Amino acid sequence: MTIPLEDVRLEERSEVTGPWQTVVWNDPVNLMSYVVHVFRTYFGYTREHAERLMLLVHHEGHAVVAEGAREQMEFHVQAMHDYGLWATVRRADT
């Protein structure tokens, strides 16, 4: 069975543009105050929002810190790595 080229293009497009998330994971290295600092500095979050996300990371093991296009989320993940945080990209529907 052959899949029409039109269907393949639609599938490829949804892979790139669908909603994606940047997830920051808990680690045994970074201080909670440093994680708050990173979220405030990089994302521009208020202290309250940054602390809420940090507490999710600390207590739940991870937190979604951004959502959007995959390319932008990959950019955020690289930035988190540059700050020394463990982060990944995932589909928003997971």
Side-chain angles (χ1 to χ4, degrees):
M1 179 173 132
T2 306
I3 299 174
L5 187 56
E6 181 178 300
D7 291 341
V8 173
R9 286 189 187 134
L10 289 175
E11 289 175 21
E12 289 174 357
R13 195 173 300 131
S14 68
E15 282 289 316
V16 176
T17 61
W20 294 84
Q21 298 172 330
T22 298
V23 181
V24 172
W25 299 87
N26 195 22
D27 66 56
V29 178
N30 292 296
L31 297 174
M32 292 186 283
S33 59
Y34 178 70
V35 175
V36 170
H37 166 76
V38 170
F39 293 165
R40 293 192 73 206
T41 301
Y42 179 76
F43 292 106
Y45 292 152
T46 63
R47 176 175 299 284
E48 294 77 20
H49 188 65
E51 287 176 352
R52 199 170 325 121
L53 290 171
M54 174 276 297
L55 287 172
L56 282 172
V57 170
H58 182 70
H59 292 295
E60 303 295 326
H62 69 283
V64 174
V65 297
E67 189 169 307
R70 183 175 182 168
E71 187 173 286
Q72 185 64 45
M73 297 307 101
E74 289 173 350
F75 186 79
H76 291 330
V77 165
Q78 183 58 55
M80 294 300 98
H81 291 173
D82 292 345
Y83 278 102
L85 301 183
W86 180 28
T88 57
V89 173
R90 72 177 183 193
R91 282 189 177 280
D93 58 345
T94 60

